[in-house]
Amino acid sequence: MPIHKVDLKDQSTLQDIYATDASRNSLPKYRMPNSGAEPHAAYSLVRDELLLDGNARQNLATFCTTWVEDEVKQLMTDAVDKNMIDKDEYPQTAEIENRCVHILADLWHAEKSWETVGCSTTGSSEAAMLGGLAFKWKWRARREAEGKDTSKPNIVTGPVQICWKKFARYFDVEIREVRLEGDALGLQPEDLRKYCDENTIGVVATLGVTFTGIYEPVEALARELDSMQRDLGLDIPIHVDAASGGFIAPFIQHELVWDFKIPRVRSINASGHKYGLAPLGVGWVIWASKEDLPEDLIFYVDYLGGNMPTFALNFSRPGGEIIAQYYNFLRLGREGYTAIQQTCADTAQWLGAELAKIGPFEMVYNGHGGLPAVAYKLTDGDHGFTLYDLSERVRMRGWQIASYPLPSNRQETVVQRILIRHGVSRDLAGLLLEDMKRAIEHLSKNPVPNTTAGPGFHHG
């Protein structure tokens, strides 16, 4: 009978993971190790460190997808080697991207959805910047044709996600972020005449304001810009930042007019990896017509065997997320998206109604008319704790909830925002509610007079 023994110098899969050389020392942090490790050992040790991350499903501060079907995971694995920029090598992936563009153009009521242009991006931030660049180029060309100065472009927004501030700084455009007046939570039509002028390249209307989840009134903003054109001769286009609402409104808010049905809306961006239900990270930008995307912004590149047009801030990037987006379109259809988004909205509205019953809260947004989300503040008075303290307390149970001050002119108002995404069931929301009640009871009995808790992040 053969006798087997384990060679202690052997780092093969026969050896226990936690007896390998890699596990006997701290993992390298500042320089590459001299020798490698067995795949199973390296995988386990890295995975162990990731256990210290939060549970994404309990992160109710993020807009991003945290649950996908097993088929999506398999498609992502199948596409791990597909480079989206290489349309010659992966023509069918490029075709799938093209289909998604026209599906979204149709969903957002482009007049000739089969003819218009758009592209995928790494996320809505890049997509927003591409929309802004198209506005700047169109404005500059018009000004040059009129023999006018082109050195002082500006863009007018309400309270926007940080990507628009990056756009303004990176591409030398003044951002005129309208200060919130009174009880306003977003850009209002009456703000436009005070902030727009002949150097305004466009107005950004947000369908799903990051801070609260509300929709800005796109149709009313467009009517005011129409009036300004008649009165002042200013022809200012609208870009709709529909990072989240672009995958909500078409399915459950049919009465809302916000997209290419409005002639003044010339471009729209959205995040596929938010309420579009695709995995991180994919965004989309669509123009109302080919004429809205200046030809000067398109590069024709000889790369890996083909000459291809490209408009992007990135070059090489994975194709799996785009394939997964198309899978969702096929898998769910309009009925499936409607069922999912309506369920999310119903859960958010239920949670808003329940939170309104809790003594210290005053609802800022109750989940009706905007994103599947709620936002609230503490009622006036000394409660012995802040919303920052409450965020810290519920985090002990794994929940991540965003707490932060509102933007310009209302910084004294601190709100807490909860997002309801695909995968956040009514039962899960109920468990959160019970944990919040227990946390409030504890904080009320144990005030925090010298709190050091500060704002939590609000993922855009």
Side-chain angles (χ1 to χ4, degrees):
M1 178 174 75
I3 303 296
H4 297 281
K5 65 178 182 178
V6 174
D7 182 354
L8 294 180
K9 295 181 180 180
D10 179 16
Q11 297 292 299
S12 73
T13 53
L14 292 175
Q15 192 171 4
D16 185 87
I17 291 168
Y18 298 100
T20 61
D21 289 345
S23 69
R24 294 175 186 271
N25 302 292
S26 295
L27 298 186
K29 299 175 179 65
Y30 305 109
R31 59 180 297 183
M32 190 179 294
N34 292 326
S35 57
E38 278 290 303
H40 72 298
Y43 168 78
S44 296
L45 293 171
V46 172
R47 185 183 61 180
D48 286 351
E49 290 215 351
L50 295 177
L51 292 174
L52 299 177
D53 280 343
N55 173 14
R57 295 286 297 283
Q58 287 184 278
N59 181 358
L60 303 184
T62 182
F63 290 82
C64 298
T65 300
T66 57
W67 185 89
V68 295
E69 293 179 328
D70 289 339
E71 288 80 3
V72 170
K73 296 176 184 177
Q74 185 59 55
L75 280 171
M76 294 289 286
T77 300
D78 295 341
V80 72
D81 60 346
K82 295 186 187 295
N83 186 354
M84 192 59 239
I85 201 66
D86 186 2
K87 292 176 170 57
D88 184 68
E89 180 69 18
Y90 306 111
Q92 203 57 34
T93 299
E95 166 61 18
I96 285 173
E97 178 190 30
N98 187 55
R99 292 176 190 174
C100 288
V101 163
H102 294 298
I103 287 171
L104 289 173
D106 176 71
L107 185 68
W108 298 335
H109 298 105
E111 186 175 359
K112 294 182 179 179
S113 61
W114 58 92
E115 287 185 357
T116 193
V117 292
C119 60
S120 66
T121 60
T122 53
S124 214
S125 292
E126 182 187 4
M129 291 188 194
L130 297 184
L133 281 172
F135 272 0
K136 182 179 180 181
W137 254 245
K138 293 281 287 186
W139 169 84
R140 186 173 63 187
R142 185 172 66 249
R143 297 280 290 179
E144 288 174 345
E146 296 170 352
K148 296 179 179 178
D149 178 59
T150 62
S151 64
K152 298 178 181 178
N154 69 69
I155 193 164
V156 174
T157 76
V160 283
Q161 203 259 6
I162 192 66
C163 71
W164 287 105
K165 297 176 183 180
K166 288 183 178 180
F167 162 76
R169 185 176 300 178
Y170 294 166
F171 298 106
D172 199 22
V173 174
E174 176 195 359
I175 185 168
R176 296 181 176 178
E177 187 176 6
V178 175
R179 293 166 64 85
L180 299 178
E181 301 291 345
D183 293 330
L185 296 173
L187 185 64
Q188 300 299 314
E190 56 268 26
D191 298 323
L192 295 177
R193 292 190 186 233
K194 292 181 286 185
Y195 286 84
C196 294
D197 57 29
E198 64 178 3
N199 292 313
T200 301
I201 65 174
V203 168
V204 176
T206 304
L207 202 72
V209 173
T210 303
F211 296 91
T212 55
I214 65 133
Y215 292 164
E216 290 181 334
V218 184
E219 187 177 22
L221 293 170
R223 283 198 300 267
E224 178 61 16
L225 289 172
D226 290 342
S227 176
M228 288 169 59
Q229 184 173 4
R230 289 192 297 270
D231 298 344
L232 307 172
L234 300 176
D235 185 7
I236 300 172
I238 291 176
H239 174 94
V240 179
D241 184 344
S244 298
F247 281 102
I248 297 290
F251 301 111
I252 65 172
Q253 291 147 344
H254 302 290
E255 74 290 347
L256 187 69
V257 180
W258 66 275
D259 56 17
F260 293 128
K261 283 184 176 180
I262 302 171
R264 199 165 288 277
V265 172
R266 305 316 299 167
S267 52
I268 299 172
N269 71 274
S271 284
H273 63 232
K274 292 182 180 175
Y275 286 96
L277 310 182
L280 287 160
V282 59
W284 301 95
V285 57
I286 312 293
W287 285 271
S289 70
K290 290 182 178 179
E291 291 71 31
D292 291 299
L293 176 57
E295 182 69 23
D296 288 349
L297 287 172
I298 300 173
F299 285 82
Y300 292 86
V301 184
D302 285 312
Y303 183 60
L304 297 179
N307 184 276
M308 42 154 282
T310 176
F311 181 33
L313 302 181
N314 291 288
F315 204 62
S316 292
R317 55 191 175 88
E321 296 88 339
I322 294 160
I323 295 167
Q325 182 78 85
Y326 186 58
Y327 165 84
N328 279 327
F329 291 164
L330 294 181
R331 163 76 176 86
L332 298 170
R334 287 179 179 254
E335 290 182 356
Y337 268 91
T338 298
I340 289 169
Q341 311 302 30
Q342 187 62 62
T343 299
C344 289
D346 291 345
T347 299
Q349 291 162 16
W350 172 82
L351 182 61
E354 293 300 312
L355 288 170
K357 300 174 185 177
I358 299 178
F361 292 152
E362 179 181 334
M363 300 307 296
V364 173
Y365 169 63
N366 63 5
H368 291 267
L371 299 182
V374 294
Y376 46 89
K377 61 182 181 178
L378 288 176
T379 55
D380 293 337
D382 183 6
H383 298 281
F385 65 92
T386 68
L387 288 177
Y388 304 137
D389 296 318
L390 180 58
S391 282
E392 285 196 352
R393 185 71 190 175
V394 296
R395 189 154 188 166
M396 295 172 65
R397 287 279 290 171
W399 304 107
Q400 296 180 60
I401 301 176
S403 300
Y404 45 82
L406 289 177
S408 54
N409 220 33
R410 294 193 65 184
Q411 298 96 324
E412 76 287 350
T413 301
V414 175
V415 300
Q416 201 164 71
R417 186 201 65 207
I418 297 174
L419 291 162
I420 304 298
R421 303 180 309 277
H422 189 204
V424 180
S425 64
R426 179 72 62 91
D427 181 65
L428 202 62
L431 293 173
L432 165 67
L433 184 66
E434 293 306 312
D435 281 339
M436 290 185 69
K437 290 178 179 177
R438 282 190 287 268
I440 291 169
E441 182 180 5
H442 173 86
L443 290 168
S444 298
K445 292 179 179 178
N446 300 275
V448 190
N450 299 308
T451 180
T452 59
F457 71 91
H458 52 98
H459 196 297

